[in-house]
mmCIF file of all heavy atoms in Angstrom:
data_model
loop_
_atom_site.group_PDB
_atom_site.id
_atom_site.type_symbol
_atom_site.label_atom_id
_atom_site.label_comp_id
_atom_site.label_asym_id
_atom_site.label_seq_id
_atom_site.Cartn_x
_atom_site.Cartn_y
_atom_site.Cartn_z
ATOM 1 N N SER I 1 -8.131 -0.212 -6.823
ATOM 2 C CA SER I 1 -8.001 -1.600 -7.244
ATOM 3 C C SER I 1 -8.555 -2.499 -6.145
ATOM 4 O O SER I 1 -8.235 -2.292 -4.962
ATOM 5 C CB SER I 1 -6.523 -1.944 -7.508
ATOM 6 O OG SER I 1 -6.369 -3.318 -7.806
ATOM 7 N N PRO I 2 -9.401 -3.481 -6.494
ATOM 8 C CA PRO I 2 -9.914 -4.393 -5.454
ATOM 9 C C PRO I 2 -8.766 -5.035 -4.685
ATOM 10 O O PRO I 2 -7.746 -5.415 -5.270
ATOM 11 C CB PRO I 2 -10.697 -5.443 -6.250
ATOM 12 C CG PRO I 2 -11.073 -4.742 -7.524
ATOM 13 C CD PRO I 2 -9.925 -3.824 -7.825
ATOM 14 N N MET I 3 -8.907 -5.108 -3.377
ATOM 15 C CA MET I 3 -7.848 -5.709 -2.566
ATOM 16 C C MET I 3 -7.611 -7.156 -2.989
ATOM 17 O O MET I 3 -8.528 -7.855 -3.410
ATOM 18 C CB MET I 3 -8.209 -5.649 -1.083
ATOM 19 C CG MET I 3 -8.010 -4.274 -0.460
ATOM 20 S SD MET I 3 -8.251 -4.282 1.339
ATOM 21 C CE MET I 3 -6.895 -5.333 1.864
ATOM 22 N N ASN I 4 -6.336 -7.547 -2.925
ATOM 23 C CA ASN I 4 -5.889 -8.890 -3.293
ATOM 24 C C ASN I 4 -5.886 -9.122 -4.798
ATOM 25 O O ASN I 4 -5.616 -10.235 -5.249
ATOM 26 C CB ASN I 4 -6.756 -9.981 -2.622
ATOM 27 C CG ASN I 4 -6.759 -9.839 -1.108
ATOM 28 O OD1 ASN I 4 -5.730 -9.563 -0.504
ATOM 29 N ND2 ASN I 4 -7.939 -10.012 -0.513
ATOM 30 N N ALA I 5 -6.188 -8.082 -5.583
ATOM 31 C CA ALA I 5 -6.100 -8.231 -7.035
ATOM 32 C C ALA I 5 -4.646 -8.107 -7.471
ATOM 33 O O ALA I 5 -3.809 -7.547 -6.764
ATOM 34 C CB ALA I 5 -6.958 -7.171 -7.729
ATOM 35 N N GLU I 6 -4.343 -8.631 -8.649
ATOM 36 C CA GLU I 6 -2.990 -8.521 -9.197
ATOM 37 C C GLU I 6 -2.735 -7.063 -9.543
ATOM 38 O O GLU I 6 -3.425 -6.479 -10.371
ATOM 39 C CB GLU I 6 -2.868 -9.383 -10.456
ATOM 40 C CG GLU I 6 -1.508 -9.306 -11.128
ATOM 41 C CD GLU I 6 -0.404 -9.817 -10.228
ATOM 42 O OE1 GLU I 6 -0.564 -10.882 -9.611
ATOM 43 O OE2 GLU I 6 0.631 -9.116 -10.144
ATOM 44 N N ASP I 7 -1.742 -6.439 -8.879
ATOM 45 C CA ASP I 7 -1.537 -5.003 -9.060
ATOM 46 C C ASP I 7 -0.182 -4.661 -9.670
ATOM 47 O O ASP I 7 0.191 -3.496 -9.718
ATOM 48 C CB ASP I 7 -1.714 -4.254 -7.742
ATOM 49 C CG ASP I 7 -0.744 -4.739 -6.656
ATOM 50 O OD1 ASP I 7 0.099 -5.603 -6.964
ATOM 51 O OD2 ASP I 7 -0.849 -4.247 -5.525
ATOM 52 N N ASP I 8 0.564 -5.669 -10.124
ATOM 53 C CA ASP I 8 1.876 -5.388 -10.704
ATOM 54 C C ASP I 8 1.766 -4.490 -11.931
ATOM 55 O O ASP I 8 2.549 -3.567 -12.123
ATOM 56 C CB ASP I 8 2.590 -6.695 -11.077
ATOM 57 C CG ASP I 8 3.054 -7.456 -9.839
ATOM 58 O OD1 ASP I 8 3.058 -6.853 -8.753
ATOM 59 O OD2 ASP I 8 3.387 -8.644 -9.981
ATOM 60 N N SER I 9 0.763 -4.780 -12.780
ATOM 61 C CA SER I 9 0.621 -3.986 -13.997
ATOM 62 C C SER I 9 0.204 -2.559 -13.671
ATOM 63 O O SER I 9 0.634 -1.611 -14.326
ATOM 64 C CB SER I 9 -0.415 -4.631 -14.929
ATOM 65 O OG SER I 9 -1.679 -4.722 -14.284
ATOM 66 N N LEU I 10 -0.628 -2.391 -12.629
ATOM 67 C CA LEU I 10 -1.037 -1.050 -12.223
ATOM 68 C C LEU I 10 0.154 -0.256 -11.701
ATOM 69 O O LEU I 10 0.342 0.911 -12.046
ATOM 70 C CB LEU I 10 -2.127 -1.136 -11.155
ATOM 71 C CG LEU I 10 -2.624 0.203 -10.588
ATOM 72 C CD1 LEU I 10 -3.194 1.071 -11.693
ATOM 73 C CD2 LEU I 10 -3.668 -0.046 -9.501
ATOM 74 N N MET I 11 0.971 -0.882 -10.870
ATOM 75 C CA MET I 11 2.157 -0.201 -10.352
ATOM 76 C C MET I 11 3.117 0.158 -11.475
ATOM 77 O O MET I 11 3.726 1.227 -11.483
ATOM 78 C CB MET I 11 2.853 -1.092 -9.320
ATOM 79 C CG MET I 11 2.098 -1.212 -8.005
ATOM 80 S SD MET I 11 1.938 0.387 -7.160
ATOM 81 C CE MET I 11 3.654 0.700 -6.737
ATOM 82 N N ALA I 12 3.251 -0.729 -12.450
ATOM 83 C CA ALA I 12 4.130 -0.449 -13.587
ATOM 84 C C ALA I 12 3.615 0.750 -14.377
ATOM 85 O O ALA I 12 4.394 1.600 -14.826
ATOM 86 C CB ALA I 12 4.228 -1.676 -14.492
ATOM 87 N N LEU I 13 2.283 0.827 -14.527
ATOM 88 C CA LEU I 13 1.706 1.966 -15.246
ATOM 89 C C LEU I 13 1.936 3.263 -14.484
ATOM 90 O O LEU I 13 2.352 4.273 -15.056
ATOM 91 C CB LEU I 13 0.206 1.744 -15.456
ATOM 92 C CG LEU I 13 -0.574 2.945 -16.021
ATOM 93 C CD1 LEU I 13 -0.063 3.301 -17.417
ATOM 94 C CD2 LEU I 13 -2.066 2.652 -16.061
ATOM 95 N N LEU I 14 1.666 3.258 -13.180
ATOM 96 C CA LEU I 14 1.828 4.475 -12.389
ATOM 97 C C LEU I 14 3.274 4.935 -12.362
ATOM 98 O O LEU I 14 3.551 6.133 -12.213
ATOM 99 C CB LEU I 14 1.321 4.251 -10.961
ATOM 100 C CG LEU I 14 -0.186 4.022 -10.817
ATOM 101 C CD1 LEU I 14 -0.540 3.752 -9.364
ATOM 102 C CD2 LEU I 14 -0.978 5.201 -11.355
ATOM 103 N N ALA I 15 4.202 4.001 -12.495
ATOM 104 C CA ALA I 15 5.618 4.377 -12.515
ATOM 105 C C ALA I 15 5.990 5.112 -13.797
ATOM 106 O O ALA I 15 6.968 5.856 -13.822
ATOM 107 C CB ALA I 15 6.493 3.134 -12.355
ATOM 108 N N ARG I 16 5.220 4.891 -14.870
ATOM 109 C CA ARG I 16 5.480 5.588 -16.131
ATOM 110 C C ARG I 16 4.702 6.889 -16.145
ATOM 111 O O ARG I 16 3.620 7.007 -16.698
ATOM 112 C CB ARG I 16 5.078 4.713 -17.321
ATOM 113 C CG ARG I 16 5.982 3.548 -17.570
ATOM 114 C CD ARG I 16 7.396 3.972 -17.961
ATOM 115 N NE ARG I 16 7.408 4.954 -19.032
ATOM 116 C CZ ARG I 16 7.374 4.598 -20.323
ATOM 117 N NH1 ARG I 16 7.331 3.332 -20.664
ATOM 118 N NH2 ARG I 16 7.395 5.526 -21.258
ATOM 119 N N ARG I 17 5.259 7.913 -15.506
ATOM 120 C CA ARG I 17 4.580 9.189 -15.338
ATOM 121 C C ARG I 17 4.204 9.810 -16.680
ATOM 122 O O ARG I 17 3.149 10.415 -16.824
ATOM 123 C CB ARG I 17 5.467 10.147 -14.551
ATOM 124 C CG ARG I 17 5.783 9.679 -13.148
ATOM 125 C CD ARG I 17 6.842 10.550 -12.499
ATOM 126 N NE ARG I 17 6.401 11.927 -12.363
ATOM 127 C CZ ARG I 17 5.656 12.354 -11.358
ATOM 128 N NH1 ARG I 17 5.265 11.529 -10.422
ATOM 129 N NH2 ARG I 17 5.303 13.621 -11.283
ATOM 130 N N ASP I 18 5.085 9.674 -17.671
ATOM 131 C CA ASP I 18 4.818 10.302 -18.964
ATOM 132 C C ASP I 18 3.571 9.731 -19.616
ATOM 133 O O ASP I 18 2.748 10.462 -20.173
ATOM 134 C CB ASP I 18 6.026 10.145 -19.894
ATOM 135 C CG ASP I 18 6.438 8.686 -20.072
ATOM 136 O OD1 ASP I 18 6.154 7.864 -19.174
ATOM 137 O OD2 ASP I 18 7.050 8.381 -21.104
ATOM 138 N N ILE I 19 3.388 8.400 -19.508
ATOM 139 C CA ILE I 19 2.223 7.769 -20.102
ATOM 140 C C ILE I 19 0.952 8.173 -19.366
ATOM 141 O O ILE I 19 -0.069 8.497 -19.975
ATOM 142 C CB ILE I 19 2.380 6.233 -20.093
ATOM 143 C CG1 ILE I 19 3.536 5.816 -21.006
ATOM 144 C CG2 ILE I 19 1.088 5.545 -20.514
ATOM 145 C CD1 ILE I 19 3.825 4.330 -20.993
ATOM 146 N N VAL I 20 1.006 8.170 -18.032
ATOM 147 C CA VAL I 20 -0.173 8.525 -17.232
ATOM 148 C C VAL I 20 -0.610 9.950 -17.528
ATOM 149 O O VAL I 20 -1.791 10.219 -17.780
ATOM 150 C CB VAL I 20 0.114 8.354 -15.725
ATOM 151 C CG1 VAL I 20 -1.063 8.860 -14.891
ATOM 152 C CG2 VAL I 20 0.383 6.886 -15.404
ATOM 153 N N ILE I 21 0.323 10.883 -17.520
ATOM 154 C CA ILE I 21 -0.017 12.292 -17.753
ATOM 155 C C ILE I 21 -0.586 12.483 -19.146
ATOM 156 O O ILE I 21 -1.601 13.154 -19.335
ATOM 157 C CB ILE I 21 1.222 13.182 -17.551
ATOM 158 C CG1 ILE I 21 1.619 13.192 -16.073
ATOM 159 C CG2 ILE I 21 0.954 14.607 -18.021
ATOM 160 C CD1 ILE I 21 2.919 13.905 -15.797
ATOM 161 N N ARG I 22 0.060 11.879 -20.144
ATOM 162 C CA ARG I 22 -0.416 12.061 -21.520
ATOM 163 C C ARG I 22 -1.821 11.502 -21.689
ATOM 164 O O ARG I 22 -2.681 12.120 -22.318
ATOM 165 C CB ARG I 22 0.550 11.380 -22.493
ATOM 166 C CG ARG I 22 0.189 11.613 -23.963
ATOM 167 C CD ARG I 22 1.315 11.200 -24.890
ATOM 168 N NE ARG I 22 1.565 9.770 -24.813
ATOM 169 C CZ ARG I 22 2.710 9.238 -24.401
ATOM 170 N NH1 ARG I 22 3.699 10.005 -24.010
ATOM 171 N NH2 ARG I 22 2.876 7.929 -24.367
ATOM 172 N N ASP I 23 -2.088 10.321 -21.088
ATOM 173 C CA ASP I 23 -3.395 9.698 -21.232
ATOM 174 C C ASP I 23 -4.472 10.509 -20.529
ATOM 175 O O ASP I 23 -5.586 10.683 -21.034
ATOM 176 C CB ASP I 23 -3.355 8.275 -20.679
ATOM 177 C CG ASP I 23 -4.574 7.469 -21.094
ATOM 178 O OD1 ASP I 23 -4.865 7.435 -22.302
ATOM 179 O OD2 ASP I 23 -5.239 6.905 -20.214
ATOM 180 N N LEU I 24 -4.153 11.032 -19.338
ATOM 181 C CA LEU I 24 -5.133 11.845 -18.608
ATOM 182 C C LEU I 24 -5.449 13.134 -19.343
ATOM 183 O O LEU I 24 -6.601 13.550 -19.447
ATOM 184 C CB LEU I 24 -4.606 12.165 -17.207
ATOM 185 C CG LEU I 24 -4.549 11.000 -16.208
ATOM 186 C CD1 LEU I 24 -3.850 11.446 -14.941
ATOM 187 C CD2 LEU I 24 -5.938 10.474 -15.907
ATOM 188 N N LEU I 25 -4.409 13.784 -19.876
ATOM 189 C CA LEU I 25 -4.621 15.076 -20.517
ATOM 190 C C LEU I 25 -5.372 14.951 -21.839
ATOM 191 O O LEU I 25 -6.039 15.891 -22.268
ATOM 192 C CB LEU I 25 -3.274 15.776 -20.735
ATOM 193 C CG LEU I 25 -2.622 16.275 -19.444
ATOM 194 C CD1 LEU I 25 -1.232 16.814 -19.727
ATOM 195 C CD2 LEU I 25 -3.479 17.335 -18.776
ATOM 196 N N LYS I 26 -5.288 13.792 -22.490
ATOM 197 C CA LYS I 26 -6.056 13.587 -23.717
ATOM 198 C C LYS I 26 -7.552 13.653 -23.447
ATOM 199 O O LYS I 26 -8.332 13.998 -24.322
ATOM 200 C CB LYS I 26 -5.700 12.229 -24.330
ATOM 201 C CG LYS I 26 -4.381 12.208 -25.068
ATOM 202 C CD LYS I 26 -4.118 10.839 -25.668
ATOM 203 C CE LYS I 26 -2.785 10.814 -26.411
ATOM 204 N NZ LYS I 26 -2.480 9.470 -26.949
ATOM 205 N N ARG I 27 -7.940 13.327 -22.215
ATOM 206 C CA ARG I 27 -9.354 13.305 -21.848
ATOM 207 C C ARG I 27 -9.810 14.602 -21.174
ATOM 208 O O ARG I 27 -10.977 14.747 -20.867
ATOM 209 C CB ARG I 27 -9.621 12.126 -20.900
ATOM 210 C CG ARG I 27 -9.460 10.772 -21.563
ATOM 211 C CD ARG I 27 -9.388 9.658 -20.539
ATOM 212 N NE ARG I 27 -9.481 8.339 -21.155
ATOM 213 C CZ ARG I 27 -8.493 7.748 -21.799
ATOM 214 N NH1 ARG I 27 -7.336 8.362 -21.931
ATOM 215 N NH2 ARG I 27 -8.652 6.550 -22.332
ATOM 216 N N ARG I 28 -8.896 15.493 -20.952
ATOM 217 C CA ARG I 28 -9.227 16.701 -20.205
ATOM 218 C C ARG I 28 -9.652 17.826 -21.147
ATOM 219 O O ARG I 28 -8.972 18.115 -22.128
ATOM 220 C CB ARG I 28 -8.018 17.148 -19.383
ATOM 221 C CG ARG I 28 -8.344 18.263 -18.412
ATOM 222 C CD ARG I 28 -7.232 18.441 -17.415
ATOM 223 N NE ARG I 28 -7.651 19.229 -16.278
ATOM 224 C CZ ARG I 28 -6.952 19.391 -15.189
ATOM 225 N NH1 ARG I 28 -5.771 18.816 -15.073
ATOM 226 N NH2 ARG I 28 -7.392 20.124 -14.182
ATOM 227 N N GLN I 29 -10.753 18.444 -20.822
ATOM 228 C CA GLN I 29 -11.257 19.552 -21.628
ATOM 229 C C GLN I 29 -10.588 20.861 -21.200
ATOM 230 O O GLN I 29 -10.111 20.977 -20.072
ATOM 231 C CB GLN I 29 -12.779 19.664 -21.446
ATOM 232 C CG GLN I 29 -13.540 18.445 -21.932
ATOM 233 C CD GLN I 29 -13.338 18.197 -23.394
ATOM 234 O OE1 GLN I 29 -13.454 19.101 -24.218
ATOM 235 N NE2 GLN I 29 -13.008 16.960 -23.757
ATOM 236 N N PRO I 30 -10.531 21.849 -22.102
ATOM 237 C CA PRO I 30 -9.996 23.164 -21.687
ATOM 238 C C PRO I 30 -10.771 23.707 -20.493
ATOM 239 O O PRO I 30 -11.978 23.487 -20.366
ATOM 240 C CB PRO I 30 -10.230 24.022 -22.938
ATOM 241 C CG PRO I 30 -10.294 23.059 -24.065
ATOM 242 C CD PRO I 30 -10.945 21.819 -23.512
ATOM 243 N N TYR I 31 -10.062 24.402 -19.612
ATOM 244 C CA TYR I 31 -10.725 24.935 -18.426
ATOM 245 C C TYR I 31 -10.148 26.297 -18.079
ATOM 246 O O TYR I 31 -9.011 26.609 -18.393
ATOM 247 C CB TYR I 31 -10.603 23.976 -17.240
ATOM 248 C CG TYR I 31 -9.187 23.724 -16.759
ATOM 249 C CD1 TYR I 31 -8.671 24.405 -15.662
ATOM 250 C CD2 TYR I 31 -8.366 22.804 -17.400
ATOM 251 C CE1 TYR I 31 -7.377 24.175 -15.205
ATOM 252 C CE2 TYR I 31 -7.070 22.571 -16.955
ATOM 253 C CZ TYR I 31 -6.590 23.255 -15.865
ATOM 254 O OH TYR I 31 -5.311 23.032 -15.430
ATOM 255 N N LEU I 32 -10.986 27.101 -17.420
ATOM 256 C CA LEU I 32 -10.609 28.442 -17.010
ATOM 257 C C LEU I 32 -9.922 28.357 -15.654
ATOM 258 O O LEU I 32 -10.459 27.758 -14.716
ATOM 259 C CB LEU I 32 -11.850 29.328 -16.933
ATOM 260 C CG LEU I 32 -11.639 30.833 -16.726
ATOM 261 C CD1 LEU I 32 -10.914 31.438 -17.920
ATOM 262 C CD2 LEU I 32 -12.987 31.519 -16.523
ATOM 263 N N THR I 33 -8.734 28.960 -15.539
ATOM 264 C CA THR I 33 -7.973 28.808 -14.306
ATOM 265 C C THR I 33 -7.153 30.058 -14.003
ATOM 266 O O THR I 33 -6.677 30.729 -14.923
ATOM 267 C CB THR I 33 -7.025 27.598 -14.408
ATOM 268 O OG1 THR I 33 -6.257 27.482 -13.205
ATOM 269 C CG2 THR I 33 -6.071 27.738 -15.579
ATOM 270 N N PRO I 34 -6.979 30.366 -12.714
ATOM 271 C CA PRO I 34 -5.980 31.385 -12.354
ATOM 272 C C PRO I 34 -4.598 30.845 -12.693
ATOM 273 O O PRO I 34 -4.356 29.636 -12.617
ATOM 274 C CB PRO I 34 -6.149 31.543 -10.840
ATOM 275 C CG PRO I 34 -7.389 30.817 -10.486
ATOM 276 C CD PRO I 34 -7.635 29.800 -11.527
ATOM 277 N N MET I 35 -3.693 31.735 -13.064
ATOM 278 C CA MET I 35 -2.371 31.278 -13.459
ATOM 279 C C MET I 35 -1.412 32.448 -13.542
ATOM 280 O O MET I 35 -1.823 33.615 -13.530
ATOM 281 C CB MET I 35 -2.437 30.604 -14.826
ATOM 282 C CG MET I 35 -2.909 31.560 -15.923
ATOM 283 S SD MET I 35 -3.027 30.774 -17.520
ATOM 284 C CE MET I 35 -1.389 30.135 -17.693
#
C-alpha cells in the first residue's frame, strides 16, 4: 500500500482470515506438491 494512504480498510480485510484465504484460493490453480 502506498505510504500515507488510508489503510483502515486493508487492515480490516487482512484481519478477516477466512475471506482472504477463500479469495486467494479461488485464483489458485491445482499444483503438484510433496505432502
Side-chain angles (χ1 to χ4, degrees):
S1 175
M3 283 187 65
N4 303 319
E6 178 62 46
D7 59 4
D8 288 346
S9 59
L10 178 59
M11 288 297 293
L13 172 63
L14 293 177
R16 288 296 310 274
R17 298 171 62 84
D18 56 335
I19 294 176
V20 174
I21 292 173
R22 184 167 64 243
D23 194 52
L24 289 173
L25 289 174
K26 282 181 180 177
R27 293 166 169 77
R28 189 167 195 171
Q29 297 299 312
Y31 63 99
L32 189 64
T33 178
M35 62 181 305

